[in-house]
Amino acid sequence: MIRINNLHKSFGSLEVLKGVDLHITPGEVVVVIGPSGSGKSTLLRCINCLEEITSGTIIVDGFDVTDEKTDLNYVRAETGMVFQLFNLFPHMTVLDNVTLGPIKVRNMPRKEAKKLGMELLEKVGLSDKAMVYPDNLSGGQKQRVAIARSLALKPKSILFDEPTSALDPELIGEVLDVMKRLAHEGMTMVVVTHEMGFAAEVADRVLFMDEGVIMEENTPQAMFDNPKNERTRNFLALV
Amino acid sequence: MNSHFVFKYSVIWESVPILLEGVKLTIWITLFGLLIGFTLGAVAGLAKASRKNYAKRIAGIYIESIRGTPLMVQVLFLYFGLPLATGMRIPPLVAGIIAIGLNSGAYIAEIVRGAIQSIDKGQTEAGRSIGLSRFQTMLFVIWPQAFKRMIPPLGNQFIISLKDTSLLVVIGVGELTRQGQEIIATNFRAFEVWLTVAIIYLVLTMTIAKLLNMFERKMQIV
């Protein structure tokens, strides 16, 4: 599904990713943990082609994203992305946020897109907010709309970039619930998060990133109960 | 105060119908000029906000050369200078509209650029992440939000351009200021006539400000 080989990414002289190798199989839920500045978010942004990579290869769904002939817009649509700060479109209603992709990218008839949008809003428990503007939603509701928006393109995988980090503690649960449901439905997910409970419960694999490389990877149980790497141990002791 | 001076109200009533003829032209020049200006400004502003270096540079040259020279010189150059080189004479009205368009376009370009760049980068990323192309992201996500932010400064430019049309008096366009000048040439009542002209400009600009205010409230800009 996603295959990354020796990925390097620099911003100017600052090298953020220093050779990342990662292979994610369909239906897998991978949680990425690590201190801030370790390159977790950059990794996700490279997979979604939001950053141009410096060297290495990324194959998403069979498409080499470094190949100039690859239609990156298509690859992006096939990979959903959920952002820390939601990034909902404030000038559109909740429903329009969800249907924009299907209508403009998938050329779905408006009526059909609306139906799909309502189904997805139902799924994230927000069908009563369809006609509301994002400004009138709580953070947790916004993030659930953002998840519905990315689901609307029927992506093969979804990347979550710290989806609950900007939320008040009491709103985190509702977002994690939606994510858990997606995981159980077999969605391929890569989740950057500090929610260790979520990782322990739904992750097939946990990656610990630090200083631009994957330091350790293991099943959640093995990682949390018996971290091998010194840095992993220190990090887990802090969170 | 000059004790011989007597304010003559009749001058005002006599000159208003003639001045209103000029107002018509002033409004038309402003509207057509701004239509050109907005088109040029949108293109140049988008170019300046784009990632293409050559587009940025061309837009930059246009904006700098217009903002760095007086409108009066631009008008004189267009009307008196250019025909000597091209051999093509442009009617004063057309020259005036082009001058207002070129001039406002440079300022509007900066308004457009600023508004676009003020939209959070996350919006572009969200648009791209659902598979929208660069162009679609601009069209459906960035522009509608940026346009809202452009409205107040565009309104300001509208008022500035309307007042700028009075400079077209130097190429003999029969707009409001020119009409005032011509009335004074026959009756020498400079005080009453220029006062009337000023009040008419004030009414025009205040009307625009009022209309914009209503429009802004309708668009819910706070």
Side-chain angles (χ1 to χ4, degrees):
Chain A
M1 169 102 312
I2 300 169
R3 191 182 283 277
I4 299 170
N5 280 320
N6 198 23
L7 168 63
H8 287 257
K9 169 67 189 174
S10 302
F11 294 100
S13 60
L14 179 72
E15 193 174 28
V16 178
L17 295 177
K18 301 170 182 169
V20 173
D21 293 287
L22 180 60
H23 181 208
I24 293 165
T25 55
E28 199 178 11
V29 177
V30 175
V31 167
V32 186
I33 60 171
S36 57
S38 58
K40 304 169 304 231
S41 291
T42 307
L43 174 63
L44 288 197
R45 297 165 59 82
C46 287
I47 298 172
N48 205 208
C49 327
L50 290 174
E51 302 285 355
E52 233 172 273
I53 70 176
T54 309
S55 69
T57 54
I58 302 180
I59 314 264
V60 179
D61 192 25
F63 293 96
D64 182 349
V65 305
T66 52
D67 188 342
E68 279 184 21
K69 275 170 276 176
T70 304
D71 179 3
L72 290 187
N73 295 332
Y74 176 77
V75 178
R76 284 196 195 91
E78 292 292 303
T79 313
M81 179 102 174
V82 174
F83 300 89
Q84 182 178 0
L85 296 173
F86 333 119
N87 297 346
L88 291 181
F89 308 132
H91 59 300
M92 296 180 187
T93 62
V94 162
L95 183 61
D96 287 342
N97 264 274
V98 178
T99 58
L100 182 68
I103 292 171
K104 300 301 176 191
V105 178
R106 304 290 197 214
N107 297 315
M108 193 184 272
R110 213 161 267 275
K111 227 172 140 188
E112 207 179 311
K114 269 197 172 146
K115 199 167 146 269
L116 170 69
M118 287 311 295
E119 281 168 20
L120 290 170
L121 288 175
E122 181 97 28
K123 187 173 176 159
V124 298
L126 289 170
S127 45
D128 57 323
K129 301 285 185 192
M131 293 305 157
V132 165
Y133 284 85
D135 278 352
N136 300 316
L137 299 180
S138 73
Q141 292 172 329
K142 281 182 192 170
Q143 197 59 298
R144 286 187 279 152
V145 173
I147 293 172
R149 177 175 67 181
S150 67
L151 284 173
L153 288 128
K154 303 202 160 73
K156 299 209 172 68
S157 57
I158 303 190
L159 313 171
F160 293 85
D161 188 4
E162 303 206 24
T164 57
S165 299
L167 299 179
D168 291 335
E170 76 272 20
L171 302 177
I172 290 175
E174 62 190 64
V175 172
L176 292 181
D177 283 343
V178 171
M179 291 169 62
K180 281 174 201 166
R181 232 177 309 143
L182 279 179
H184 291 312
E185 286 169 15
M187 175 61 79
T188 309
M189 293 164 61
V190 185
V191 186
V192 171
T193 186
H194 298 294
E195 295 295 324
M196 299 303 162
F198 173 82
E201 195 182 329
V202 296
D204 296 307
R205 197 156 38 123
V206 178
L207 311 180
F208 174 69
M209 277 189 82
D210 196 12
E211 294 184 345
V213 292
I214 296 172
M215 287 267 176
E216 184 171 351
E217 60 174 289
N218 218 325
T219 61
Q221 199 154 21
M223 174 80 91
F224 294 142
D225 295 348
N226 186 21
K228 282 178 260 162
N229 191 298
E230 168 88 37
R231 282 175 186 278
T232 317
R233 236 171 305 162
N234 290 342
F235 176 74
L236 287 173
L238 287 173
V239 291
Chain B
M1 205 181 202
N2 183 347
S3 55
H4 300 294
F5 178 76
V6 183
F7 190 87
K8 280 172 87 175
Y9 284 100
S10 61
V11 171
I12 296 177
W13 310 131
E14 282 158 22
S15 44
V16 162
I18 305 163
L19 291 176
L20 284 182
E21 286 303 306
V23 167
K24 265 193 228 162
L25 214 50
T26 293
I27 291 173
W28 282 120
I29 297 167
T30 309
L31 287 179
F32 280 111
L34 281 175
L35 201 68
I36 297 172
F38 188 72
T39 313
L40 276 175
V43 172
L46 283 167
K48 255 212 131 177
S50 81
R51 311 187 318 157
K52 301 215 164 52
N53 276 328
Y54 69 90
K56 262 188 203 169
R57 193 147 342 132
I58 295 170
I61 292 170
Y62 162 59
I63 295 166
E64 293 312 321
S65 53
I66 294 292
R67 289 201 310 184
T69 54
L71 175 59
M72 174 87 90
V73 175
Q74 292 161 17
V75 171
L76 293 171
F77 179 76
L78 258 174
Y79 185 65
F80 294 111
L82 216 53
L84 294 180
T86 61
M88 230 176 20
R89 216 167 168 74
I90 337 167
L93 181 62
V94 177
I97 289 172
I98 294 174
I100 295 292
L102 275 174
N103 188 270
S104 62
Y107 293 93
I108 291 171
E110 286 294 275
I111 293 171
V112 169
R113 181 190 61 81
I116 286 173
Q117 288 177 343
S118 77
I119 303 299
D120 182 54
K121 262 195 73 168
Q123 290 290 309
T124 306
E125 293 180 350
R128 303 305 309 275
S129 81
I130 58 170
L132 295 177
S133 67
R134 215 172 270 289
F135 177 74
Q136 286 177 316
T137 305
M138 180 53 75
L139 190 63
F140 302 124
V141 177
I142 307 301
W143 183 265
Q145 296 183 58
F147 186 71
K148 264 193 186 179
R149 296 190 186 175
M150 286 176 212
I151 293 169
L154 279 178
N156 201 26
Q157 184 60 44
F158 195 164
I159 289 170
I160 292 172
S161 288
L162 182 125
K163 292 188 295 174
D164 278 351
T165 58
S166 81
L167 274 176
L168 301 179
V169 75
V170 295
I171 57 170
V173 178
E175 43 65 61
L176 177 54
T177 305
R178 176 73 177 195
Q179 298 292 356
Q181 213 175 36
E182 278 175 11
I183 294 169
I184 293 162
T186 60
N187 67 7
F188 307 108
R189 303 299 303 191
F191 185 85
E192 290 88 343
V193 175
W194 285 134
L195 184 67
T196 313
V197 167
I199 290 169
I200 294 176
Y201 274 117
L202 195 61
V203 169
L204 287 174
T205 53
M206 279 168 62
T207 309
I208 295 171
K210 198 94 200 157
L211 287 174
L212 281 162
N213 223 308
M214 279 161 52
F215 186 54
E216 278 177 35
R217 231 171 302 156
K218 228 183 125 188
M219 297 282 288
Q220 289 175 319
I221 300 163
V222 269

